[in-house]
Structures are given as structure tokens and as C-alpha cells.
């Protein structure tokens, strides 16, 4: 009973949030520029939750998340350009294409590299990010439409806020249901103690690959949405530095906290823009500020800002639990 | 014969942990492997449940060789391993830990039945069902580990040092529970340093010394053996 009430409250909350944001957009408080940033924040939420499943919940350290966002963006972009005469259907199809491409590549890459542990896995995923980045930089030599270092243009744009909002809400629900499913618990078990997971019948290899594939597919969705939000796709948007941004969102938010990832993703996206406004001509120094934020948070709260917390409506019936703070490896 | 281990060889690098040991466990028995630190007891259990690589020998369960299977397949055959040091998942609740134990099962009603069963056997776990596993005391964690092992509804339960780090009263309680689990039809292979307690609940025992079985027989016989008394029961021969 209690739980149902919470879920209903959460749904009401989502609708209220939508109305508020929509009102802000209609009244012009959030101008077209900030709308794009808002969409971008929601894209971050989706991609961030993908990495949260991979690293936060399953403990598989990935330094190449942006590569999968990039694969999603470029594949969806190409599809949308090719099928632009189908209008919204072409765009919707492109989202599916982005999810599938990133998911399949994630699976294929995951099978060989997920044998590696922590730091080594980080290096392998980092390497993969460089491969994808260089591939995109030189993509025009194979496919002129992809533009290479010049970037890809011509993807039909739809900055309709609803698309991003609905996608983000769906992904939050999906992530919640996954994390608290039997397979989600298997992921947590793998993160905490592989032997414990193994003796109850969990296959570490299969579970890691499953989590990695789901996480990469979500990165693909983030990328697919991204290509419709910005008229110009550039390999630099999917470089190693962008992977670090995703990592920051997940670690700063608190490993193993969905709400933490969501809030931090939105906060981070807006912070980047806010710094642009506040710092003005000193914008080049923004890196110093991110770094300071990171250092301070890790010293003061090594478990992340929301580590050890979870929004109550994101925790289903079985044994009400708050995640214990996890300090990353 | 339920479990048959033949000439098991295990190496850690250049160090030979097991020197071709052989033993068997019959259906309905409690069999114990006793021995001091480093004798190879844990290695033996880990070899059976495939957490270790085996370098020689054969393991047969219910007439089928299981030597080359992966750990997550072994559980599905009906062998449940309660590992040394409990290996509770600290970030999951007691209830979730128990449900993890039923990971290989899909019969909802049966799982619920097993859960009730574990709760009647360990009322303390029921009280703490919603608490995180990591917040339990050592004894409670051991109960949780055994309960999780039972949730798989095993035919053979492998218990690795269930008495480790527990107070004498709790040790009695745990062994009492082991005995009752066995009476209800689960075969048990028990690894223990506490030879005194182990030989009280077990039907038969094997004494391991630096990777070799040096003695075996019914518990009563081992309890009366001078060597065993001197080395493991703390008595002067």
C-alpha cells in the first residue's frame, strides 16, 4: 500500500515537473538556448544511467563511455539523414538504430575485455574510446557523409523537449526495474563479491556482459538523442574527455545510487553552461573549477554526493533498502 | 554414492596444495574434513564447486563427472557451497541475500516455501530481513550464509568453517542446525578446524595433512584415535 502511494506520488511528481518545465519554456523564461541545454541535461541523465549500471551497480570500470554515445549519435544521424523523408518516423527509427548499434558494439567489445579487472578494464575501454575517436576523425575517407574531422551536418533536428523528457523518464524506470530485478541483484553481487555471486549460480562473465551491453545501449540512446539536439556532430564531443564527464557524473552522484546519477547529470550539464556565463572571458579556466569540485567532494564525501542514498520511489517492495555508501575502486 | 573425489591434484603456482586425495560422500551423510591451517581443506571444497582450477583427478557427482564444469553450473546440479568467511553481500538486505541464494530457481511457490523454511530455522534472520547484510553480527552472517546456501535447495551442502570466529554458544547452535539440516535429508560435506565439534555431528571423517589424507573412518573411531586426539582435540596422547 505504502509503496503504491509512493509510486503514484512519483508519477504525479513527474507530471508536475513536466508542467513546470513546459510553463518555463512557454513563458520564455527558458529560451531556445536553455532548452537545448535542458535537453542536453536529459541526454546526460540517460547516458549517465547507462554508466551507472556498468560501473555504479556492476563495478565494471569504463573509461570509454563516450565512445558508445558517439556510435549511437553517428549511426542514428546517418539513419535519420537517409530516411529524413519519413519525418518523425525516421527520427524515431534513428533512436532504435542508435540503441542497437551501440548495444551490439558494446556486446562485441565486452566479450573479450570484461575478463579484465578494474584498472585493466579501464585501460582497455580507454583504448576503445581512442579507436572510435580516431575512426570518427577519419570517417570521411570511407564515408564522406560522416564528415570526419569536419563533423557531420544535416541530421534533422527536433528540439521538442517532450522527446527528451519522455525518454529520460522511461530510462529511469527501466534502470530502476533492472537494478532491483534478480539480474540486477546479480550485478550488485558481482560488484561486491564475485565468489559470493558465483556460488549461488551467477555467471560472472555473462552478468558483466549483460550489464555492459545494457549500459552501452543506453549510451547509444543518449547519442541518438544528441544528434537531433545539435545540428553539428563532431568527433570531439565523443572523446576521452567526454567519457570522463560521464564518469564524474556517476562517481560524484554516488556509485550505486540512481537518484544520485540523475541529479548530478542535470546539475553537471547546467554547471558547464553556468560557468560559461559566470566566467565570461575566463571560461578557459573552467577545468580548474571542475577539478576543484571533484577534489573537494572526494575529500569530504568519498562515497559521492548522494552515495548511500536513494529516492524512496526508486526502491521497490522487496526489503526496503538504502544502498550503503560505496567507495569506488 | 553421491560424491566421489578421485586423486585430486591442485597446485597454486609451484606449490602443490593437494597430493591426489580421494574420498567419498554417501547420500544422507555428514562427512567432515578436518585438519590444521593450510592442510588443503578449503582448496578441496573450492575444487568441488569449481572455484579452483583442478590439475589432476576426477570429481563425480550423482554418477556424472563434474570435473570440467564452471562454478555457476555446479550449483544447478544441486551442490551448494557456503564459502569460508561467509561472503555475505553487504549492500543487499538479508532478504535479498537469501533471494540471491535462489538465483538458479524459478519456481516462485517453491522459493517462498524455502524462504519460510529458512526463517523458521533462523528466526533471527526473519527479524532482520530488511537490514543490510553487512550490518549483521558474525553469527548472524554465518546463519545468513547457510540460509542462502539452503535457498538453492541443494542435495549436497558444502560448509567451509561454519564455526570460524563464533562464540562457543553460537558454535553449538550452528552445529545443532547443521545436524538438523542433515536429518531433513540434505547431505553435508563439512570442513572444520574445530575437530571436536565436527566429529560430534559427522558420521565419518577424513584427516587432511599438508594436502594428503592421513586418516579416515567413522567419527567415533577418529575421536578415539591417539594421533587425532593429540593433534586436533588438544589432548596429550
Amino acid at each position: 500500500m505504502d509503496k503504491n502511494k509512493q509510486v503514484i506520488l512519483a508519477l504525479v511528481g513527474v507530471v508536475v515537473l513536466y508542467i513546470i518545465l513546459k510553463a518555463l519554456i512557454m513563458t520564455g523564461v527558458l529560451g531556445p538556448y536553455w532548452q537545448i541545454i535542458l535537453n542536453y541535461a536529459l541526454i546526460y541523465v540517460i547516458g549517465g544511467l547507462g554508466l551507472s549500471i556498468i560501473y555504479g551497480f556492476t563495478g565494471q570500470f569504463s573509461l570509454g563511455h563516450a565512445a558508445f554515445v558517439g556510435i549511437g549519435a553517428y549511426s542514428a544521424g546517418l539513419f535519420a539523414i537517409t530516411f529524413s523523408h519519413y519525418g518523425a518516423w525516421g527520427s524515431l527509427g534513428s533512436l532504435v538504430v542508435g540503441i542497437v548499434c551501440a548495444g551490439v558494439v558494446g556486446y562485441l567489445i565486452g566479450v573479450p575485455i570484461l575478463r579484465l579487472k578494474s584498472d585493466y578494464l579501464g585501460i582497455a575501454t580507454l583504448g576503445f574510446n581512442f579507436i572510435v575517436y580516431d575512426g570518427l576523425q577519419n570517417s570521411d575517407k570511407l564515408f564522406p557523409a560522416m564528415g570526419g574531422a569536419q563533423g557531420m551536418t544535416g541530421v534533422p533536428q527536433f528540439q521538442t523537449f517532450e522527446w527528451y523528457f519522455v525518454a529520460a523518464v522511461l530510462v529511469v524506470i527501466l534502470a530502476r526495474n533492472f537494478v532491483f530485478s534478480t539480474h540486477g541483484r546479480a550485478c550488485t553481487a558481482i560488484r561486491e563479491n564475485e565468489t559470493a555471486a558465483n556460488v549461488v549460480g551467477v555467471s560472472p562473465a555473462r552478468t558483466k556482459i549483460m550489464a555492459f551491453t545494457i549500459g552501452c545501449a543506453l549510451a547509444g540512446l543518449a547519442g541518438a538523442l544528441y544528434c537531433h539536439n545539435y545540428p553539428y556532430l563532431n568527433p570531439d564531443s565523443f572523446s576521452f574527455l567526454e567519457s570522463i564527464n560521464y564518469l564524474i557524473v556517476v562517481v560524484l552522484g554516488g556509485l550505486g545510487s540512481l537518484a544520485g546519477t540523475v541529479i548530478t547529470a542535470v546539475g553537471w550539464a547546467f554547471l558547464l553552461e553556468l560557468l560559461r556565463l559566470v566566467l565570461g572571458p575566463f571560461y578557459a579556466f573552467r577545468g580548474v573549477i571542475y577539478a576543484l569540485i571533484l577534489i573537494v567532494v572526494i575529500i569530504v564525501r568519498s562515497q559521492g554526493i548522494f552515495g548511500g542514498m536513494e529516492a524512496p520511489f526508486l526502491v521497490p517492495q522487496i526489503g526496503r533498502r538504502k544502498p550503503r555508501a560505496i567507495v569506488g575502486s | 554414492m553421491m560424491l566421489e573425489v578421485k586423486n585430486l591434484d591442485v597446485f597454486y603456482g609451484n606449490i602443490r596444495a593437494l597430493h591426489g586425495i580421494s574420498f567419498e560422500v554417501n547420500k544422507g551423510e555428514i562427512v567432515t574434513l578436518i585438519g590444521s591451517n593450510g592442510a588443503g581443506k578449503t582448496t578441496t571444497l573450492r575444487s568441488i564447486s569449481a572455484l579452483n582450477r583442478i590439475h589432476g583427478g576426477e570429481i563425480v557427482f550423482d554418477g556424472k563427472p563434474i570435473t570440467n564444469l564452471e562454478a555457476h553450473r555446479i550449483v544447478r546440479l544441486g551442490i551448494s557451497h557456503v564459502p569460508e568467511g561467509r561472503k555475505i553481500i553487504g549492500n543487499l538486505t538479508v532478504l535479498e541475500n537469501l533471494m540471491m541464494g535462489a538465483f538458479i530457481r524459478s519456481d516462485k511457490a517453491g522459493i517462498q516455501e524455502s524462504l519460510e523454511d529458512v526463517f523458521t530455522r533462523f528466526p533471527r534472520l526473519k527479524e532482520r530481513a530488511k537490514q543490510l547484510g553487512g550490518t549483521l553480527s558474525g553469527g548472524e552472517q554465518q546463519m545468513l550464509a547457510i540460509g542462502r546456501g539452503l535457498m538453492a535447495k541443494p542435495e549436497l551442502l558444502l560448509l567451509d568453517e561454519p564455526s570460524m570466529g563464533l562464540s562457543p554458544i553460537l558454535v553449538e547452535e550452528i552445529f545443532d542446525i547443521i545436524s538438523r539440516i542433515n536429518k531433513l535429508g540434505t547431505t553435508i560435506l563439512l570442513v572444520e578446524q574445530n575437530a571436536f565439534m565436527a566429529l560430534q555431528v559427522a558420521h565419518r571423517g577424513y584427516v587432511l595433512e599438508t594436502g594428503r589424507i592421513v586418516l579416515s573412518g567413522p567419527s567415533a573411531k577418529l575421536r578415539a584415535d591417539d594421533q587425532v586426539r593429540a593433534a586436533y582435540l588438544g589432548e596429550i596422547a
Side-chain angles (χ1 to χ4, degrees), chain B residues 185-218:
Chain B
T186 310
T187 310
I188 293 173
L189 177 57
L190 170 68
V191 152
E192 259 301 335
Q193 275 199 56
N194 188 338
F196 179 74
M197 289 302 293
L199 288 175
Q200 284 201 331
V201 297
H203 302 107
R204 291 190 302 115
Y206 293 85
V207 181
L208 265 175
E209 240 167 56
T210 54
R212 289 187 181 87
I213 287 175
V214 292
L215 208 60
S216 67

Side-chain angles (χ1 to χ4, degrees), chain A residues 180 182-183 185-186 188-193 195-204 206-207 317-326, chain B residues 46 49-51 71-73 75-76 79-81 83 87-93 95-96 99-101 103-104 129-130 132 134-135 148:
Chain A
F180 290 98
T182 308
H183 290 290
R185 282 203 297 269
T188 307
I190 292 280
R191 180 193 69 202
E192 300 246 320
N193 192 322
T195 308
N198 218 191
V199 294
V200 297
V202 174
S203 158
R206 216 181 304 161
T207 307
Q317 216 97 32
I318 183 164
R320 217 175 316 152
R321 88 165 133 113
K322 273 180 15 186
R324 205 168 40 158
I326 308 149
Chain B
R46 289 177 58 93
S49 60
L51 293 170
H72 63 97
R73 303 229 176 269
V75 197
R76 286 173 170 78
I79 300 180
S80 198
H81 186 157
K87 305 278 192 282
I88 290 304
I89 298 160
N91 245 315
L92 294 181
T93 62
L95 183 58
E96 285 176 308
M99 293 308 280
M100 276 309 294
F103 183 78
I104 54 163
K130 291 189 172 178
L132 288 182
T135 65
R148 182 179 65 191

Side-chain angles (χ1 to χ4, degrees), chain A residues 209-299:
Chain A
I209 290 166
M210 173 186 64
F212 195 71
T213 306
I214 293 174
C216 289
L218 290 183
L221 174 60
L225 288 167
Y226 181 97
C227 81
H228 294 288
N229 194 41
Y230 288 97
Y232 168 64
L233 280 183
N234 186 309
D236 282 332
S237 312
F238 311 108
S239 70
F240 161 63
L241 286 174
E242 183 66 3
S243 290
I244 295 292
N245 272 336
Y246 279 104
L247 197 65
I248 289 173
V249 162
V250 174
V251 173
L252 215 54
L255 295 177
S257 168
L258 292 174
T261 302
V262 172
I263 296 169
T264 314
V266 173
W268 196 251
F270 277 91
L271 178 74
L272 299 186
E273 289 311 312
L274 226 59
L275 285 179
R276 202 189 291 273
L277 278 182
V278 175
L279 291 178
F282 300 105
Y283 183 59
F285 287 104
R286 65 191 182 282
V288 176
I289 298 196
Y290 308 158
L292 276 178
I293 293 175
L294 256 185
I295 292 168
V296 169
V297 170
I298 291 304
I299 291 173

